[in-house]
């Protein structure tokens, strides 16, 4: 096993066995990542014990993989899910359609801004200019968002929903993307322990029906979107119809997009052309 710490084969086998006994399905992979993250044997043991106590792997490592990039994360923040890569895919498509000027991307309820960072990176690689803005109510998550967006000179504001966004963006946003919490309040207690116990409630609880933030995002979207601009909101299969209806009620042409690859559903609304 290679990494920052030299681990003899016998110790490697024992480490994998400890992780597997604790219920880690991908024990071999986790062991290798923990070794990579540790600077010495003492730190490795500390990381392993924290993992065995139920802490999520990604905050222990200091990063989470998202669309092939390592996004900075840490204790107490929402860890970006692989299914949200579908939102990034849709946002890239929306921004690539912009001609004659840099595309303007906004991520609301951004957490560590994994979606915005992934979109910016893919557009940059494709030679497409983009201006990136993000906002979240949690200052801890916003700190990680700033790290993830630093190379793109991205703006990250702290505050309620769209309140921190610069007013100059009103009517000029090409893509507004959000993975807002959509778990109904009564169902948060049934989420996996790693999410329920380690991530902030504000990033999980979507209100009585899970759509409290979706209502507010849909209502706000027309203020920010340019004609032809797109709003993309992650939702669930059972809530998709309601999420789409919220965008329609706000005056957008909306529909649901689905990805079997990501196991994801998104409500997508387009601002009517002027």
């Amino acid at each position: 096993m290679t990494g920052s710490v030299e681990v003899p084969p016998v110790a490697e086998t024992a480490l994998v066995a400890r992780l597997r006994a604790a219920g880690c399905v991908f024990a071999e992979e986790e062991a290798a990542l923990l070794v990579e993250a540790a600077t010495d044997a003492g730190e490795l043991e500390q990381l392993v014990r924290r993992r065995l106590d139920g802490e999520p792997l990604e905050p222990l490592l200091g990063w989470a993989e998202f669309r092939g990039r390592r996004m900075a994360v840490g204790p107490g923040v929402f860890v970006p899910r692989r299914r949200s890569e579908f939102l990034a895919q849709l946002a890239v498509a929306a921004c690539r359609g912009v001609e004659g000027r840099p595309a303007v991307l906004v991520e609301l309820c951004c957490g560590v801004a994994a979606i915005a960072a992934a979109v910016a990176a893919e557009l940059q690689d494709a030679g497409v200019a983009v201006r990136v803005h993000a906002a979240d109510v949690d200052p801890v998550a916003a700190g990680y968002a700033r790290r993830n967006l630093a190379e793109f000179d991205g703006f990250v504001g702290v505050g309620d929903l769209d309140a921190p966004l610069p007013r100059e963006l009103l009517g000029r946003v090409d893509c507004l993307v959000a993975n807002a919490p959509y778990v109904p309040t009564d169902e948060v207690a049934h989420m996996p322990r790693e999410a329920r116990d380690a991530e902030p409630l504000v990033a999980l609880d979507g209100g009585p029906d899970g759509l409290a933030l979706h209502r507010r995002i849909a209502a706000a979207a027309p203020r920010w979107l340019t004609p032809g601009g797109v709003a993309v909101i992650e939702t669930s299969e059972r809530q998709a119809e309601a999420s789409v209806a919220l965008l329609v009620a706000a005056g957008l042409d909306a529909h649901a997009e689905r990805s079997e690859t990501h196991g994801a559903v998104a409500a997508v609304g387009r601002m009517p052309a002027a």
Side-chain angles (χ1 to χ4, degrees):
M1 185 179 292
T2 62
S4 301
V5 181
E6 291 294 331
V7 179
V10 173
E12 173 186 337
T13 300
L15 173 55
V16 171
R18 291 171 68 189
L19 291 168
R20 184 176 291 116
C24 299
V25 178
F26 303 104
E28 291 85 356
E29 292 86 345
E30 290 200 16
L33 291 169
L34 290 169
V35 168
E36 178 187 338
T39 56
D40 56 44
E43 184 180 12
L44 175 60
E45 179 60 22
Q46 183 181 50
L47 290 174
V48 171
R49 289 184 179 181
R50 290 171 63 187
R51 182 66 181 127
L52 296 178
D53 286 340
E55 290 192 42
L57 176 66
E58 292 85 356
L60 292 178
L61 301 177
W63 57 269
E65 184 176 346
F66 190 85
R67 283 187 78 83
R69 292 174 62 87
R70 288 188 174 187
M71 303 295 177
V73 300
V77 302
F78 180 83
V79 175
R81 313 300 201 241
R82 291 293 181 88
R83 62 176 173 269
S84 298
E85 293 180 351
F86 183 48
L87 274 71
Q89 177 181 314
L90 295 172
V92 167
C95 290
R96 292 190 72 157
V98 177
E99 298 180 354
R101 59 172 175 79
V104 179
L105 171 72
V106 166
E107 183 179 1
L108 295 182
C109 304
C110 71
V112 302
I115 296 172
V119 173
E122 292 179 40
L123 292 174
Q124 185 178 79
D125 290 345
V128 178
V130 61
R131 293 174 55 201
V132 185
H133 296 75
D136 198 276
V137 72
D138 180 6
V140 176
Y144 287 99
R146 292 189 182 97
R147 291 172 57 183
N148 290 322
L149 292 178
E151 65 180 290
F152 311 109
D153 196 27
F155 167 87
V156 180
V158 178
D160 182 41
L161 206 61
D162 60 340
L165 296 178
R167 301 297 103 176
E168 67 188 49
L169 295 182
L170 288 167
R172 300 177 62 185
V173 175
D174 297 295
C175 184
L176 186 156
V177 62
N179 177 21
Y182 54 89
V183 178
T185 301
D186 290 345
E187 297 180 20
V188 171
H190 304 297
M191 294 184 70
R193 177 188 170 192
E194 289 189 359
R196 185 183 69 236
D197 294 348
E199 295 178 330
L201 183 62
V202 69
L204 305 175
D205 189 345
D209 63 354
L211 298 174
L213 270 295
H214 287 200
R215 289 187 181 88
R216 296 183 60 201
I217 293 169
R223 297 198 299 270
W224 299 101
L225 292 177
T226 189
V230 176
V232 182
I233 306 174
E234 183 170 311
T235 188
S236 68
E237 189 61 56
R238 68 173 177 168
Q239 295 163 310
E241 183 177 345
S243 297
V244 168
L246 291 171
L247 292 172
V248 171
L252 278 61
D253 300 322
H255 64 282
E257 291 275 0
R258 295 172 172 82
S259 170
E260 291 186 7
T261 301
H262 299 91
V265 185
V268 180
R270 183 176 296 274
M271 191 74 171

